[in-house]
Amino acid sequence: MIKIAVSQIKFNRFFYTNLTLICAVLLGGFGKIFESNNNTALAQESIPVSGSGDAQLQPILQSLTEFMRYRCVGAAVLGVSVKGKPVGVWGLGRMKDRSTLNANPACGDDMQAPQSAIVPADTPMRMGSISKPVTFAMVRWALKQTARDRAGLELTDDQIEGMKLFDPQHYPPLIPGFNKQYPVAIIPEKLHAVFSGKVKFPVAIKDRNCSNLNSGFADKQWQNVTLGHLLSHRSGLQRSAPRYGQDVTANLPVLRNLKTAADFQSQEQLLINEWGSKSVISAKNKLGISPSAGYFLPSPNLEETMLVVAGRCLQYPLGQYHYSNTSPAFPTIIMQQLVASGRYAAKTGKPETHQGSALELFFKTELGIPTAATKGIFMTQEVENFSSREPEKRHWNGKDYYGKGWDLKRPHCIWNGRFCDFSSWINAKPGRINWSWNLSQVLFSRRNTDLSPGTGSLAAEAGVFLKFMSQYWVGGYENNPRIGEKRNNVWNRYTAHNGALDGTHAWAIQLGGKNNPKEWKLPPVDDGGHILDDFANLKMYAGVLPDGVDIFVAVNQRADKKCVEAKGYNCGDAYGLLDNFILYGASRVNWNRVAASAEVK
């Protein structure tokens, strides 16, 4: 073994080298083993790297680059910290297309395409559902800060979690332990009236998962739902929200009390005021709609979506855990009620509105991190090519990684003399006018979804997210939920959260304590400790993991040609092993040396 004389290996975006060659220098003979097992010249398989990190962390980088090669990943970011102190932040791969000089043809990449720019270490990546712990930390912060400012009350997490949001007898809700009502309304009055059963819900949904609400009033279980139930996915909500088109958009006339042509014209005028008449007229021309034949309307907001949810029963008993992508909706609404701007994050297509949002204020005041619409942590925008800082998102569609499809933007309806018909909009063709006011399909990874902004729409730089992880728990959906609570320098507890969307697969892992993973499934590992490309034959491996180590990793895809065409495993199973690759690498690190290095920095 060659003795290491330095504590850091530094990279930058103008220089990269093969990680296995570095290991050959540091660990002696390693490169030759790697080359022989993969039957590929090292120069052909090199994945460029930017950033800097402790040399002891090489095993984690090795595992990640092995995952990237085997899964044809184009870009990744990785951040590691020890007890809140960063010890490595890297960007890996390239901003577009294949990551290596000569990728495996089985990956399906265009082998003739020129190599694009190397991924910088501060590249933001979409996080999918890892947005949830950020959202839950933010709603705790907003509720505590408002109670302090407006009533001089110092609230605990248990008191916040215990508030019944839809108690028909108390609006705002009672604060447990104080026998006082919260100082301001945290749920809009109309929503509270519907969910507390005081008035009937506006839209009934035919629900195959449970009986319809024939009474016309929201499920009575809502009256006992607390914020803690929502934070822990124990309110009874189904996993997915109602259908955005048929259930929500088509019912906008009911939700907004629109009855006459003048009502719809007023809705369209809101868009004209925001985007200009030229955009609206151009979109109508592309759809073949005369100016007076139909109308564009602002998209449904989160409150309107939840009014539709009120017409759907709660599928599960209160207190029973069932993961739901709708659970963050009310925490998001609460934040929008409590911040002056009324915004969780920037509005799509309006980057300037990031300023003053709850997201911007939280990271600035609580973590001392200045953010912007495309810097630090932000609401990822669906406008194509909006942020040049993000790598192109990849998702194999059977032909290539950059397929296109219709999405859920810019609702419109046709006035028939009595009512406005949304049928042409609900039909995917030709009605999908995008955020650029064009009639066109968009890249899979740029498609707008019906997720609430706090559910899975954030992007973050690895270094910024490490700082968030040093202060807040990213997991913990117990009956008394820990997710989003302050960490308070506790380093001996294990929590983790993953996230996935088209063009995204990410993990945030906080290692520590007796609940650390003790074993994990991986493809076979050779005598040199290298993971092999055999995802159809997984084996169980054991290891010891440290306390106080935080890891954030994200890749820019969750499907590739190899796993789509594979026999014996599928893409979901393959990408679901990303955290196991990282844990395996972490189990091979000499953390005593890394910790000593971190204490000096």
Side-chain angles (χ1 to χ4, degrees):
M1 183 72 71
I2 296 176
K3 195 171 183 179
I4 298 172
V6 293
S7 63
Q8 278 195 321
I9 303 168
K10 292 188 179 273
F11 305 85
N12 57 52
R13 64 184 304 178
F14 303 108
F15 170 80
Y16 68 89
T17 188
N18 191 306
L19 287 175
T20 56
L21 289 177
I22 294 172
C23 279
V25 174
L26 294 177
L27 303 180
F30 179 81
K32 293 182 180 179
I33 294 172
F34 189 90
E35 181 178 354
S36 63
N37 280 316
N38 289 276
N39 298 315
T40 307
L42 293 176
Q44 292 179 333
E45 287 296 323
S46 66
I47 293 179
V49 181
S50 67
S52 65
D54 192 296
Q56 300 291 335
L57 300 177
Q58 175 57 36
I60 304 179
L61 282 165
Q62 174 193 309
S63 293
L64 178 54
T65 53
E66 286 170 350
F67 182 89
M68 292 177 69
R69 279 193 298 275
Y70 302 156
R71 296 273 52 92
C72 313
V73 170
V77 295
L78 173 67
V80 182
S81 64
V82 177
K83 294 186 177 179
K85 297 179 181 179
V87 291
V89 178
W90 298 273
L92 300 91
R94 296 184 179 275
M95 296 295 285
K96 186 174 181 179
D97 299 323
R98 66 190 189 278
S99 61
T100 59
L101 294 173
N102 288 303
N104 185 344
C107 289
D109 281 299
D110 179 2
M111 305 297 288
Q112 305 304 314
Q115 294 279 272
S116 64
I118 300 167
V119 176
D122 64 349
T123 293
M125 294 285 270
R126 299 185 186 192
M127 304 189 300
S129 287
I130 301 176
S131 304
K132 292 181 176 72
V134 177
T135 301
F136 295 164
M138 288 167 60
V139 75
R140 293 176 188 276
W141 157 76
L143 285 165
K144 290 179 182 179
Q145 189 64 47
T146 302
R148 186 179 299 120
D149 292 344
R150 299 294 294 270
L153 298 175
E154 294 292 335
L155 301 187
T156 66
D157 284 298
D158 286 345
Q159 288 173 314
I160 286 172
E161 293 162 11
M163 289 192 293
K164 292 183 179 180
L165 301 182
F166 310 105
D167 181 349
Q169 305 302 319
H170 299 97
Y171 180 74
L174 280 179
I175 303 170
F178 281 152
N179 201 30
K180 294 180 179 180
Q181 288 180 271
Y182 194 80
V184 298
I186 59 176
I187 299 293
E189 188 172 5
K190 185 175 182 179
L191 278 178
H192 184 269
V194 171
F195 279 87
S196 66
K198 291 183 177 180
V199 301
K200 290 186 175 183
F201 52 74
V203 176
I205 298 180
K206 292 181 179 180
D207 198 333
R208 65 182 181 180
N209 293 314
C210 50
S211 60
N212 295 328
L213 300 172
N214 296 321
S215 67
F217 291 94
D219 194 316
K220 287 188 177 181
Q221 184 166 295
W222 280 110
Q223 296 178 24
N224 290 310
V225 168
T226 65
L227 178 60
H229 287 130
L230 293 169
L231 299 183
S232 60
H233 297 277
R234 295 172 188 270
S235 66
L237 280 166
Q238 300 176 31
R239 184 176 182 90
S240 300
R243 295 171 299 177
Y244 185 83
Q246 292 91 330
D247 293 333
V248 183
T249 298
N251 284 300
L252 283 177
V254 175
L255 297 170
R256 296 176 183 172
N257 194 29
L258 308 176
K259 297 178 179 178
T260 67
D263 292 335
F264 287 92
Q265 175 60 51
S266 296
Q267 287 282 295
E268 187 172 89
Q269 188 62 46
L270 296 174
L271 291 174
I272 291 173
N273 294 344
E274 184 175 13
W275 298 94
S277 60
K278 183 177 179 180
S279 295
V280 176
I281 292 172
S282 172
K284 285 189 175 183
N285 289 338
K286 288 168 183 171
L287 290 173
I289 301 173
S290 65
S292 60
Y295 304 97
F296 277 92
L297 288 77
S299 296
N301 61 35
L302 191 52
E303 292 179 23
E304 290 166 338
T305 299
M306 295 312 290
L307 281 174
V308 174
V309 169
R312 184 189 216 183
C313 67
L314 289 168
Q315 185 177 357
Y316 307 107
L318 190 65
Q320 193 177 100
Y321 173 80
H322 290 277
Y323 192 88
S324 171
N325 279 319
T326 312
S327 279
F330 277 118
T332 300
I333 288 171
I334 290 170
M335 272 186 292
Q336 292 176 161
Q337 282 281 105
L338 295 180
V339 297
S341 67
R343 296 190 301 276
Y344 172 92
K347 294 174 64 176
T348 302
K350 297 286 184 178
E352 65 277 8
T353 60
H354 174 83
Q355 187 173 4
S357 67
L359 188 67
E360 191 252 356
L361 292 173
F362 172 77
F363 274 83
K364 181 170 64 177
T365 62
E366 293 300 290
L367 294 171
I369 298 175
T371 61
T374 60
K375 183 178 180 181
I377 185 165
F378 53 91
M379 180 80 167
T380 185
Q381 303 288 323
E382 287 82 12
V383 179
E384 195 167 344
N385 298 324
F386 176 82
S387 172
S388 61
R389 297 189 64 226
E390 293 184 77
E392 287 290 330
K393 302 299 183 286
R394 290 157 56 90
H395 192 90
W396 182 258
N397 68 344
K399 296 181 180 179
D400 59 43
Y401 288 94
Y402 302 107
K404 293 186 176 182
W406 299 100
D407 65 351
L408 299 172
K409 301 171 184 173
R410 301 279 179 219
H412 72 272
C413 58
I414 307 299
W415 182 255
N416 67 6
R418 295 180 299 110
F419 63 90
C420 214
D421 184 4
F422 285 86
S423 297
S424 65
W425 182 84
I426 293 172
N427 179 13
K429 303 175 186 178
R432 296 298 193 246
I433 295 291
N434 65 28
W435 282 100
S436 301
W437 292 97
N438 292 314
L439 177 61
S440 62
Q441 294 181 325
V442 297
L443 292 170
F444 284 150
S445 60
R446 296 288 182 180
R447 286 188 294 180
N448 194 10
T449 72
D450 57 358
L451 295 175
S452 76
T455 293
S457 302
L458 298 181
E461 300 166 15
V464 169
F465 204 74
L466 283 179
K467 191 162 186 179
F468 172 81
M469 293 173 70
S470 74
Q471 300 295 320
Y472 297 90
W473 296 113
V474 297
Y477 286 129
E478 298 89 347
N479 195 41
N480 183 8
R482 181 182 306 122
I483 185 169
E485 287 186 359
K486 284 195 172 183
R487 192 168 182 172
N488 295 324
N489 290 315
V490 174
W491 308 110
N492 60 347
R493 183 179 289 163
Y494 170 78
T495 68
H497 211 295
N498 72 326
L501 294 169
D502 286 349
T504 297
H505 194 85
W507 274 92
I509 304 168
Q510 294 168 319
L511 294 174
K514 62 182 181 180
N515 290 325
N516 263 350
K518 306 297 188 298
E519 56 183 15
W520 42 83
K521 287 183 177 180
L522 282 175
V525 174
D526 69 13
D527 292 339
H530 309 298
I531 304 169
L532 303 179
D533 187 4
D534 188 0
F535 286 73
N537 294 293
L538 302 182
K539 300 183 181 300
M540 194 67 74
Y541 292 89
V544 177
L545 295 168
D547 288 348
V549 170
D550 297 340
I551 302 173
F552 176 75
V553 61
V555 299
N556 71 330
Q557 63 193 55
R558 63 168 181 159
D560 56 75
K561 183 180 180 182
K562 288 171 64 180
C563 64
V564 167
E565 298 178 352
K567 295 180 180 179
Y569 71 96
N570 58 46
C571 290
D573 292 339
Y575 283 80
L577 296 177
L578 173 59
D579 62 323
N580 288 358
F581 272 70
I582 297 301
L583 293 176
Y584 172 71
S587 72
R588 303 178 69 219
V589 170
N590 186 333
W591 289 105
N592 289 329
R593 292 187 180 181
V594 176
S597 176
E599 291 299 325
V600 173
K601 295 175 185 177

Short mmCIF file of all heavy atoms in Angstrom, two decimals, residues 81 84-86 363 366-370 461-472 487 510 550 552:
data_model
loop_
_atom_site.label_atom_id
_atom_site.label_comp_id
_atom_site.label_asym_id
_atom_site.label_seq_id
_atom_site.Cartn_x
_atom_site.Cartn_y
_atom_site.Cartn_z
N SER A 81 -20.40 14.97 4.09
CA SER A 81 -19.96 15.76 5.24
C SER A 81 -19.84 14.87 6.46
O SER A 81 -20.46 13.80 6.53
CB SER A 81 -20.92 16.92 5.52
OG SER A 81 -22.20 16.44 5.89
N GLY A 84 -21.52 17.63 10.06
CA GLY A 84 -21.86 18.95 9.56
C GLY A 84 -20.78 19.67 8.81
O GLY A 84 -21.02 20.77 8.28
N LYS A 85 -19.58 19.07 8.70
CA LYS A 85 -18.47 19.72 8.00
C LYS A 85 -18.23 19.02 6.67
O LYS A 85 -17.89 17.84 6.63
CB LYS A 85 -17.21 19.66 8.86
CG LYS A 85 -17.35 20.41 10.18
CD LYS A 85 -16.10 20.32 11.02
CE LYS A 85 -16.27 21.07 12.34
NZ LYS A 85 -15.06 20.98 13.20
N PRO A 86 -18.39 19.74 5.56
CA PRO A 86 -18.19 19.12 4.24
C PRO A 86 -16.77 18.59 4.08
O PRO A 86 -15.80 19.27 4.44
CB PRO A 86 -18.46 20.26 3.26
CG PRO A 86 -19.30 21.23 4.02
CD PRO A 86 -18.82 21.14 5.45
N PHE A 363 -34.02 29.70 3.73
CA PHE A 363 -32.59 29.41 3.59
C PHE A 363 -31.73 30.61 3.95
O PHE A 363 -30.61 30.44 4.44
CB PHE A 363 -32.29 28.90 2.18
CG PHE A 363 -32.51 27.42 2.05
CD1 PHE A 363 -33.77 26.91 1.80
CD2 PHE A 363 -31.47 26.53 2.23
CE1 PHE A 363 -33.99 25.54 1.72
CE2 PHE A 363 -31.67 25.16 2.15
CZ PHE A 363 -32.94 24.66 1.90
N GLU A 366 -32.54 31.05 8.21
CA GLU A 366 -32.24 29.91 9.08
C GLU A 366 -30.88 29.28 8.81
O GLU A 366 -30.26 28.72 9.71
CB GLU A 366 -33.33 28.84 8.92
CG GLU A 366 -34.69 29.27 9.42
CD GLU A 366 -34.66 29.62 10.90
OE1 GLU A 366 -34.51 28.70 11.72
OE2 GLU A 366 -34.78 30.82 11.23
N LEU A 367 -30.41 29.33 7.58
CA LEU A 367 -29.15 28.68 7.23
C LEU A 367 -28.09 29.64 6.72
O LEU A 367 -26.96 29.24 6.46
CB LEU A 367 -29.40 27.58 6.19
CG LEU A 367 -30.24 26.40 6.70
CD1 LEU A 367 -30.63 25.48 5.55
CD2 LEU A 367 -29.49 25.60 7.75
N GLY A 368 -28.46 30.91 6.57
CA GLY A 368 -27.49 31.90 6.09
C GLY A 368 -27.06 31.66 4.65
O GLY A 368 -25.95 32.04 4.27
N ILE A 369 -27.94 31.06 3.84
CA ILE A 369 -27.60 30.74 2.45
C ILE A 369 -28.41 31.61 1.51
O ILE A 369 -29.65 31.50 1.46
CB ILE A 369 -27.89 29.26 2.15
CG1 ILE A 369 -27.04 28.35 3.04
CG2 ILE A 369 -27.63 28.95 0.68
CD1 ILE A 369 -27.35 26.88 2.89
N PRO A 370 -27.75 32.50 0.76
CA PRO A 370 -28.48 33.27 -0.26
C PRO A 370 -28.81 32.36 -1.43
O PRO A 370 -27.97 31.58 -1.90
CB PRO A 370 -27.50 34.37 -0.65
CG PRO A 370 -26.15 33.79 -0.36
CD PRO A 370 -26.32 32.85 0.82
N GLU A 461 -28.09 22.39 -5.13
CA GLU A 461 -26.67 22.08 -5.24
C GLU A 461 -26.29 21.18 -4.08
O GLU A 461 -26.80 21.33 -2.96
CB GLU A 461 -25.86 23.38 -5.20
CG GLU A 461 -26.19 24.35 -6.32
CD GLU A 461 -25.63 25.74 -6.08
OE1 GLU A 461 -24.76 25.89 -5.19
OE2 GLU A 461 -26.08 26.68 -6.75
N ALA A 462 -25.38 20.25 -4.31
CA ALA A 462 -25.00 19.28 -3.27
C ALA A 462 -24.47 19.97 -2.02
O ALA A 462 -24.82 19.60 -0.89
CB ALA A 462 -23.97 18.30 -3.82
N GLY A 463 -23.62 20.99 -2.18
CA GLY A 463 -23.05 21.68 -1.03
C GLY A 463 -24.11 22.36 -0.19
O GLY A 463 -24.05 22.37 1.05
N VAL A 464 -25.10 22.96 -0.86
CA VAL A 464 -26.19 23.62 -0.14
C VAL A 464 -27.03 22.59 0.60
O VAL A 464 -27.42 22.78 1.76
CB VAL A 464 -27.06 24.43 -1.12
CG1 VAL A 464 -28.35 24.89 -0.46
CG2 VAL A 464 -26.28 25.63 -1.63
N PHE A 465 -27.30 21.47 -0.07
CA PHE A 465 -28.16 20.49 0.60
C PHE A 465 -27.44 19.82 1.77
O PHE A 465 -28.07 19.45 2.75
CB PHE A 465 -28.67 19.44 -0.38
CG PHE A 465 -29.95 18.82 0.11
CD1 PHE A 465 -31.14 19.53 0.06
CD2 PHE A 465 -29.96 17.55 0.67
CE1 PHE A 465 -32.31 19.00 0.56
CE2 PHE A 465 -31.13 17.01 1.17
CZ PHE A 465 -32.31 17.73 1.12
N LEU A 466 -26.12 19.69 1.68
CA LEU A 466 -25.38 19.18 2.84
C LEU A 466 -25.57 20.10 4.04
O LEU A 466 -25.69 19.62 5.18
CB LEU A 466 -23.89 19.08 2.51
CG LEU A 466 -23.43 17.90 1.66
CD1 LEU A 466 -21.93 17.99 1.44
CD2 LEU A 466 -23.78 16.56 2.30
N LYS A 467 -25.60 21.39 3.81
CA LYS A 467 -25.79 22.32 4.93
C LYS A 467 -27.18 22.16 5.51
O LYS A 467 -27.35 22.21 6.74
CB LYS A 467 -25.55 23.76 4.47
CG LYS A 467 -25.47 24.74 5.63
CD LYS A 467 -24.83 26.05 5.25
CE LYS A 467 -24.62 26.94 6.47
NZ LYS A 467 -23.97 28.21 6.14
N PHE A 468 -28.18 21.96 4.67
CA PHE A 468 -29.52 21.69 5.18
C PHE A 468 -29.52 20.40 6.01
O PHE A 468 -30.08 20.36 7.12
CB PHE A 468 -30.52 21.56 4.03
CG PHE A 468 -31.88 21.09 4.46
CD1 PHE A 468 -32.79 21.99 4.99
CD2 PHE A 468 -32.25 19.76 4.36
CE1 PHE A 468 -34.05 21.56 5.42
CE2 PHE A 468 -33.49 19.31 4.77
CZ PHE A 468 -34.40 20.23 5.31
N MET A 469 -28.86 19.35 5.50
CA MET A 469 -28.83 18.08 6.21
C MET A 469 -28.11 18.18 7.55
O MET A 469 -28.43 17.44 8.49
CB MET A 469 -28.16 17.01 5.33
CG MET A 469 -28.95 16.64 4.09
SD MET A 469 -28.04 15.54 2.99
CE MET A 469 -28.01 14.02 3.96
N SER A 470 -27.16 19.08 7.65
CA SER A 470 -26.44 19.23 8.92
C SER A 470 -27.33 19.81 10.01
O SER A 470 -27.03 19.67 11.20
CB SER A 470 -25.21 20.12 8.72
OG SER A 470 -25.58 21.49 8.58
N GLN A 471 -28.44 20.42 9.63
CA GLN A 471 -29.30 21.10 10.60
C GLN A 471 -30.68 20.46 10.77
O GLN A 471 -31.34 20.68 11.79
CB GLN A 471 -29.51 22.56 10.17
CG GLN A 471 -28.23 23.37 10.08
CD GLN A 471 -27.55 23.55 11.42
OE1 GLN A 471 -28.21 23.76 12.43
NE2 GLN A 471 -26.23 23.44 11.44
N TYR A 472 -31.13 19.66 9.80
CA TYR A 472 -32.49 19.12 9.82
C TYR A 472 -32.49 17.65 9.42
O TYR A 472 -31.69 17.20 8.59
CB TYR A 472 -33.41 19.90 8.87
CG TYR A 472 -33.57 21.34 9.26
CD1 TYR A 472 -32.71 22.32 8.78
CD2 TYR A 472 -34.59 21.72 10.13
CE1 TYR A 472 -32.85 23.66 9.17
CE2 TYR A 472 -34.75 23.05 10.53
CZ TYR A 472 -33.87 24.01 10.04
OH TYR A 472 -34.01 25.31 10.43
N ARG A 487 -31.95 19.19 13.92
CA ARG A 487 -31.09 18.07 14.30
C ARG A 487 -30.39 18.28 15.64
O ARG A 487 -30.12 17.32 16.37
CB ARG A 487 -30.06 17.86 13.19
CG ARG A 487 -29.30 16.58 13.28
CD ARG A 487 -28.52 16.34 12.01
NE ARG A 487 -27.80 15.09 12.02
CZ ARG A 487 -27.18 14.58 10.96
NH1 ARG A 487 -27.20 15.23 9.81
NH2 ARG A 487 -26.56 13.44 11.05
N GLN A 510 -28.46 10.20 6.10
CA GLN A 510 -27.82 10.63 7.34
C GLN A 510 -27.49 9.38 8.15
O GLN A 510 -28.39 8.69 8.64
CB GLN A 510 -28.75 11.56 8.13
CG GLN A 510 -29.01 12.89 7.41
CD GLN A 510 -30.14 13.70 8.02
OE1 GLN A 510 -31.16 13.15 8.41
NE2 GLN A 510 -29.96 15.02 8.10
N ASP A 550 -23.11 12.48 6.48
CA ASP A 550 -24.23 12.81 5.60
C ASP A 550 -23.78 12.69 4.16
O ASP A 550 -22.68 13.14 3.80
CB ASP A 550 -24.72 14.24 5.84
CG ASP A 550 -25.28 14.45 7.25
OD1 ASP A 550 -25.63 13.44 7.90
OD2 ASP A 550 -25.38 15.61 7.67
N PHE A 552 -25.24 13.19 0.08
CA PHE A 552 -26.26 13.56 -0.91
C PHE A 552 -25.75 13.15 -2.28
O PHE A 552 -24.62 13.51 -2.66
CB PHE A 552 -26.54 15.06 -0.89
CG PHE A 552 -27.52 15.49 -1.95
CD1 PHE A 552 -28.87 15.22 -1.81
CD2 PHE A 552 -27.08 16.15 -3.10
CE1 PHE A 552 -29.79 15.61 -2.79
CE2 PHE A 552 -27.98 16.53 -4.08
CZ PHE A 552 -29.34 16.27 -3.93
#
